Amino acid sequence: MNNPSFKYLLPLVSKPSRYLGNEVNSIHKDLDKVDVRIALAFPDVYEVGMSHQGLHILYHILNSIPRVAAERVYAPWIDMEKLLRERGLPLSSLEYMLNMMDLAGIPIWAAERDESFPLVIAGGPCVFNPEAVADFLDAVLIGDGEEAFPEMVERYRNWKLRGCEGGKLRLLRSLAEIKGVYVPSFFDVYYNKDNTVREIRPKYDDYPKVEKRIVADLNTVPYPDMPIVPFMEIVHDRVTLEVTRGCTRGCRFCQAGMIYRPTRERTPEKIQEIAEKALRSTGYEDLSLLSLSTGDYSCISDLLANLMDRYSDERIAISLPSMRVDTMTPELISEIKRVRKTGFTMAPEAGSERLRDVINKGITEEDLLKSAQQVFEAGWESIKLYFMIGLPTETDEDLMAIAELSGKALKIARKAGGKNVTASVATFVPKPHTPFQWEEQIGLNETRRRHDLLRRELKKNRVTFKWHEPAMSELEGVFARGDRRLSKVIARAFELGCRFDGWGEVFRFNLWQRAFEDCGIDPLFYLRKRVMEETLPWDHIDSGVSKKYQKLEAKRSYDVVFTPDCRYDECTGCGLCDFKTIKNRIGEGEIRRRPRPLLKPGQILAMRRIRLTYSKMEDARFLGHLELASVFARAVRRAGIPVRYSAGFHPAPKITFSPPISLGMESLEEFADIEIEGYMASDEARDRLNLQLPEGIRIERAIDVPMASPAVTSAVTKADYEIKWSGVGGQGSGISKDFMEKEMFLFKKERTGKEYDIRPLIEQLDSVDNKILMTIKSGTEGGIKPGELMQTLFGLGNEETKLLRIVKTRTYL
């Protein structure tokens, strides 16, 4: 969202680094030299969207195509949206879908957009039933996008170069020829009197349904090895490397396990190659091996051991975010903890073994408790157990089993030195293309009753209880299995002001209830149990797993019959594979073992401290102190500077900074101390870092200082400031003079309500040529910031104060 037209608004929003753009590894093309511009839009805030790996993959692939530019768009948070609307500014590439289009001046309904408007395309797992939003979309990509989306771009480019011949209809007909592309307007939907779907009728005989697009071999498609490094902390703030796509374990509730089939592994050689490049290009200190079940990766033990041998001395942690209980071995746990103990979550899904058999989970209580014991004995203090409530055939006895299992895990924790077990509970939402797609979802009242039961039982066992908001789960259930009539509900909710409904602090269920009422639609209709003969709203979307197989699996769930994993057993007959191109692919290959670098006998690395003097100007002024520390730490890694690390649970690079300045303030002179091991000339460290630091931050000097010298965090005695303010005029000089002549001046801190005499802290205050110049001493208590002083002396309002351009011109040590 690197748009100069609204940069002046950044001092007025809560997290300005969301909107900066120009991150490390971001790509900037000359837009006058491209034929196709693509806005990759994620319907949530920056820190959520930047954590979505699919977006990174498409950004990397599309920008590798000549004459194509892909940029990113994220949802502005509520404060920024308000400012954009008040000032009539459009959303541009670096919120939700309708708000995003509306802010950009694009009609929300596909039927109202001709070829003069951008084409609106959706993708991802949610669009395996896109019907609730189908009327907003021109096209939908069903399945893997690495090969299909570039094909769509090429069709669009050719259509544009031919002068948009045939209009939008010709373009959509061309796109529909690509396997995996769904054009909603090419299907008409008819309903029965009881509101069920009667028929989904294609408009063209050669386009009766849409088949999922599958990348047969992940090793043949590009993967981002120079991912974008954000300035702010995001949800998944690390290198994320997809080792496997697809899972054939066959959990009957799991949509991802059905729609991402078959299992396709990257080779260990490819994984190691991507990991090396990505870590070097980003400076990240964490590497996450991504999969629906990472422990099922065929070479996981050797791969993890090799990665830890390679990176543990650099304090790079390796995490396996999705591990089935029955794949957690003592060897894997031992490797994971070598650098730092990342969070540990286990997903029993159900409390009783009977119910786990119903959902085809395939793990026993013995498996669960054995894994918990191994985790606690390895040094973890807490674990989270994830459960669902409302699963088919669930009884109160199954709920009691959640409390019993969690209590047993806590007893194991206490014996092994652990402290806490958290039971995290979400309401089961039946999903399309799964054996449970016909099941009923429990309502709000029943959900709350089950929560109350669990809360009482878990409290007896002293287990921490967390739960997902029931009203959010109800809405998720409605739209997960919804039809096209829901589009008017979404549009109405948008008109009523619904935004960021996944964020509890702004979720307003009452507005959604009003939207359903205004549209004459009963949301509970979509939570009901379906009969298997019913036409489902997504029946024209082919996930590759046959409906016959889903019905069989639904029956087997009630018969409590286990279905094995076809990776290790015979084919279960889901109907997806052709066993030639489309099949399970195991990532066999060579694991290149690298010995851990060791010091020679008697060798001791020298320790030194380098003091950096740096400036923080322009857009860098919108980086908070923690963001600045992260920027420096990752720049140090990319620069190859041998920084020292702290000991303990979370090793951190030994970099300390002079006291933080206010967000939005610029500075010509800040200080940072870096402790290093071994020898590197201070000038070399300066030059290396300047190549890696973002625009606006530049190291001016680097000198060696004694290890015993005072920490820079407490060494600052005072600072000079220059403030540009158009309202200085004649009053500035008079007010400044009056203040300096006072012996005492009481200032009341807004946050604490306490009053302090700030006069002794102000060494200089003057006005020269529309500028206010001041020197402020550091105070141990009751200090004052330049903006606060301006507001107090000159009567500025909050917004005017935030918009002041304040520059720290000198810092005294």
Side-chain angles (χ1 to χ4, degrees):
M1 211 173 184
N2 190 16
N3 186 340
S5 67
F6 65 80
K7 281 290 182 71
Y8 75 94
L9 299 176
L10 294 185
L12 305 179
V13 299
S14 56
K15 295 183 179 180
S17 56
R18 283 172 170 154
Y19 312 103
L20 290 178
N22 291 323
E23 308 100 319
V24 171
N25 295 335
S26 57
I27 298 169
H28 305 278
K29 292 190 174 184
D30 185 342
L31 299 182
D32 293 328
K33 296 180 180 179
V34 301
D35 299 324
V36 180
R37 293 180 62 182
I38 302 166
L40 295 172
F42 193 89
D44 212 318
V45 287
Y46 176 90
E47 55 266 40
V48 176
M50 272 293 290
S51 300
H52 188 268
Q53 196 60 18
L55 208 67
H56 284 278
I57 292 171
L58 291 178
Y59 182 82
H60 174 76
I61 290 174
L62 294 173
N63 278 310
S64 69
I65 303 173
R67 304 195 69 81
V68 172
E71 301 173 292
R72 297 159 293 134
V73 186
Y74 303 101
W77 187 246
I78 294 166
D79 53 0
M80 177 59 89
E81 181 195 340
K82 181 174 182 290
L83 292 170
L84 292 175
R85 292 193 182 279
E86 286 176 350
R87 290 157 172 79
L89 295 173
L91 178 69
S92 59
S93 56
L94 230 90
E95 102 164 78
Y96 291 102
M97 184 173 68
L98 300 191
N99 201 32
M100 178 170 54
M101 289 194 287
D102 186 62
L103 281 169
I106 300 172
I108 65 172
W109 301 99
E112 297 177 2
R113 298 191 297 268
D114 58 20
E115 56 267 22
S116 65
F117 288 101
L119 206 62
V120 179
I121 304 169
C126 291
V127 300
F128 274 79
N129 176 26
E131 292 305 285
V133 293
D135 289 340
F136 307 130
L137 304 172
D138 296 309
V140 180
L141 178 54
I142 308 294
D144 298 330
E146 288 95 334
E147 296 169 338
F149 201 36
E151 292 173 17
M152 297 176 72
V153 171
E154 184 61 21
R155 297 279 182 113
Y156 179 81
R157 178 175 179 269
N158 291 336
W159 174 74
K160 279 191 66 179
L161 293 177
R162 291 195 299 267
C164 305
E165 182 183 15
K168 185 176 180 179
L169 178 61
R170 174 72 64 85
L171 171 63
L172 293 177
R173 284 287 280 160
S174 175
L175 293 176
E177 295 172 357
I178 300 171
K179 185 174 182 179
V181 175
Y182 169 44
V183 179
S185 61
F186 288 176
F187 293 82
D188 290 324
V189 182
Y190 300 89
Y191 300 92
N192 296 309
K193 290 183 179 179
D194 64 358
N195 286 324
T196 59
V197 175
R198 174 164 58 87
E199 181 186 5
I200 303 170
R201 185 184 301 170
K203 292 182 178 180
Y204 301 98
D205 292 339
D206 61 348
Y207 191 55
K209 66 176 183 178
V210 182
E211 295 182 19
K212 175 182 77 173
R213 186 64 176 266
I214 301 173
V215 170
D217 186 351
L218 292 185
N219 298 291
T220 65
V221 293
Y223 192 85
D225 53 18
M226 293 184 64
I228 298 170
V229 184
F231 294 124
M232 72 178 302
E233 183 180 1
I234 61 175
V235 175
H236 300 302
D237 209 7
R238 59 186 71 97
V239 169
T240 301
L241 206 169
E242 184 188 36
V243 297
T244 307
R245 187 174 302 175
C247 175
T248 48
R249 287 282 190 166
C251 297
R252 293 174 178 131
F253 62 86
C254 182
Q255 186 186 52
M258 297 295 168
I259 65 176
Y260 283 123
R261 292 185 177 204
T263 296
R264 293 147 291 164
E265 295 184 350
R266 280 191 167 84
T267 64
E269 296 96 333
K270 193 71 175 176
I271 292 169
Q272 292 172 101
E273 175 189 330
I274 296 170
E276 178 70 14
K277 291 181 179 178
L279 289 169
R280 297 299 169 231
S281 68
T282 61
Y284 270 122
E285 59 279 353
D286 290 278
L287 170 64
S288 177
L289 302 182
L290 181 66
S291 168
L292 291 174
S293 178
T294 308
D296 282 329
Y297 180 73
S298 57
C299 306
I300 187 61
S301 295
D302 287 343
L303 175 64
L304 183 59
N306 182 60
L307 290 173
M308 292 305 301
D309 286 346
R310 176 72 182 88
Y311 299 115
S312 61
D313 283 351
E314 298 179 41
R315 308 305 197 281
I316 293 174
I318 314 293
S319 62
L320 311 181
S322 181
M323 289 281 290
R324 280 179 58 94
V325 169
D326 52 351
T327 64
M328 288 193 296
T329 65
E331 292 77 19
L332 284 180
I333 294 171
S334 177
E335 290 292 344
I336 294 170
K337 73 169 188 175
R338 274 169 56 177
V339 173
R340 66 176 68 91
K341 299 181 184 70
T342 52
F344 226 111
T345 300
M346 297 193 295
E349 313 291 359
S352 69
E353 199 154 319
R354 181 201 69 82
L355 193 52
R356 287 195 293 275
D357 290 342
V358 167
I359 65 178
N360 209 52
K361 186 67 179 178
I363 55 175
T364 66
E365 182 173 299
E366 182 182 355
D367 294 330
L368 290 159
L369 295 178
K370 181 180 178 182
S371 294
Q373 183 169 348
Q374 291 171 348
V375 169
F376 284 121
E377 288 178 347
W380 272 265
E381 294 185 344
S382 63
I383 61 172
K384 180 190 291 184
L385 300 177
Y386 176 81
F387 300 95
M388 287 185 288
I389 61 170
L391 288 162
T393 78
E394 182 181 76
T395 65
D396 283 0
E397 286 73 20
D398 297 306
L399 294 174
M400 299 285 283
I402 291 176
E404 292 170 8
L405 179 61
S406 302
K408 289 177 181 178
L410 185 58
K411 287 181 181 178
I412 290 172
R414 297 284 165 78
K415 289 181 181 179
K419 294 181 179 178
N420 185 50
V421 170
T422 297
S424 180
V425 173
T427 304
F428 164 64
V429 176
K431 295 293 179 64
H433 307 286
T434 70
F436 289 163
Q437 63 186 341
W438 295 278
E439 295 294 335
E440 179 184 14
Q441 179 174 336
I442 61 174
L444 283 177
N445 290 336
E446 180 59 20
T447 300
R448 288 167 179 152
R449 185 193 72 81
R450 299 188 193 195
H451 279 180
D452 289 342
L453 188 155
L454 276 173
R455 188 177 292 106
R456 289 194 304 270
E457 295 303 316
L458 289 167
K459 186 176 181 180
K460 292 177 184 176
N461 294 326
R462 303 196 177 193
V463 173
T464 303
F465 178 46
K466 292 188 177 180
W467 63 94
H468 188 65
E469 168 57 45
M472 289 184 184
S473 296
E474 179 167 299
L475 278 183
E476 183 185 351
V478 170
F479 293 112
R481 295 188 293 171
D483 54 44
R484 293 191 182 185
R485 292 170 296 190
L486 290 176
S487 60
K488 59 184 180 181
V489 176
I490 297 172
R492 180 60 180 146
F494 164 65
E495 292 170 357
L496 292 171
C498 290
R499 303 287 190 276
F500 293 102
D501 301 296
W503 296 72
E505 63 265 39
V506 294
F507 175 57
R508 291 182 286 177
F509 187 51
N510 63 311
L511 294 185
W512 279 101
Q513 291 174 310
R514 179 179 166 188
F516 279 105
E517 185 178 346
D518 289 352
C519 296
I521 291 178
D522 180 7
L524 299 184
F525 172 78
Y526 296 96
L527 304 183
R528 64 187 168 83
K529 187 177 180 68
R530 320 291 172 95
V531 296
M532 289 194 174
E533 295 73 24
E534 181 178 331
T535 298
L536 300 173
W538 54 91
D539 273 351
H540 55 311
I541 306 293
D542 185 358
S543 69
V545 178
S546 71
K547 204 170 184 180
K548 177 182 177 182
Y549 178 77
Q550 304 288 20
K551 290 179 178 179
L552 175 63
E553 281 295 288
K555 182 179 184 303
R556 289 166 72 90
S557 73
Y558 280 89
D559 294 339
V560 196
V561 176
F562 180 69
T563 299
D565 186 343
C566 64
R567 278 181 49 156
Y568 311 108
D569 214 300
E570 62 184 14
C571 173
T572 58
C574 77
L576 179 72
C577 296
D578 61 13
F579 302 103
K580 296 178 182 178
T581 304
I582 307 302
K583 60 182 180 180
N584 290 331
R585 293 177 183 266
I586 307 303
E588 297 176 349
E590 179 187 1
I591 303 289
R592 301 192 308 271
R593 297 303 300 267
R594 301 188 185 189
R596 297 179 65 190
L598 299 173
L599 293 177
K600 296 177 182 179
Q603 181 181 3
I604 299 176
L605 292 177
M607 295 182 294
R608 296 170 49 238
R609 180 185 292 178
I610 298 176
R611 177 158 295 169
L612 309 174
T613 305
Y614 67 94
S615 56
K616 184 187 177 193
M617 304 293 289
E618 302 298 334
D619 285 354
R621 67 192 173 111
F622 296 115
L623 299 180
H625 189 65
L626 293 178
E627 293 167 344
L628 180 73
S630 177
V631 164
F632 263 88
R634 289 167 184 169
V636 163
R637 282 186 177 276
R638 293 193 301 272
I641 294 173
V643 65
R644 293 185 68 212
Y645 283 84
S646 63
F649 195 79
H650 287 287
K654 289 201 167 187
I655 307 174
T656 55
F657 297 86
S658 50
I661 59 176
S662 300
L663 189 66
M665 183 188 296
E666 295 175 287
S667 178
L668 293 172
E669 193 173 49
E670 294 296 308
F671 298 97
D673 285 354
I674 299 181
E675 293 185 21
I676 67 171
E677 294 178 329
Y679 181 76
M680 176 178 286
S682 55
D683 286 350
E684 182 183 357
R686 176 200 62 200
D687 295 342
R688 285 193 181 195
L689 275 174
N690 276 334
L691 292 174
Q692 301 298 333
L693 287 167
E695 187 176 341
I697 300 177
R698 178 174 176 79
I699 298 173
E700 308 295 344
R701 296 183 301 279
I703 60 172
D704 282 84
V705 294
M707 290 291 292
S709 59
V712 73
T713 52
S714 58
V716 175
T717 59
K718 62 181 180 180
D720 294 340
Y721 300 92
E722 176 183 292
I723 304 170
K724 295 180 180 179
W725 179 42
S726 58
V728 172
Q731 63 169 330
S733 179
I735 293 175
S736 300
K737 184 179 179 181
D738 288 346
F739 176 85
M740 293 302 293
E741 289 176 352
K742 294 180 183 293
E743 294 184 1
M744 174 184 290
F745 190 95
L746 294 179
F747 168 72
K748 187 176 183 179
K749 278 281 186 183
E750 184 176 339
R751 184 171 56 86
T752 63
K754 293 183 178 180
E755 283 191 331
Y756 304 94
D757 179 15
I758 60 169
R759 178 60 191 86
L761 299 178
I762 311 303
E763 188 173 285
Q764 179 201 4
L765 181 65
D766 202 357
S767 61
V768 179
D769 298 330
N770 290 326
K771 297 177 184 176
I772 298 291
L773 305 179
M774 60 180 70
T775 301
I776 302 179
K777 297 178 183 178
S778 300
T780 56
E781 185 180 21
I784 188 167
K785 300 173 183 178
E788 292 174 329
L789 187 59
M790 291 291 295
Q791 195 168 14
T792 301
L793 294 183
F794 298 100
L796 304 185
N798 284 332
E799 181 171 320
E800 190 176 6
T801 302
K802 290 177 180 178
L803 291 173
L804 288 172
R805 202 66 181 259
I806 303 175
V807 180
K808 184 198 282 190
T809 55
R810 185 177 178 185
T811 303
Y812 298 83
L813 298 181

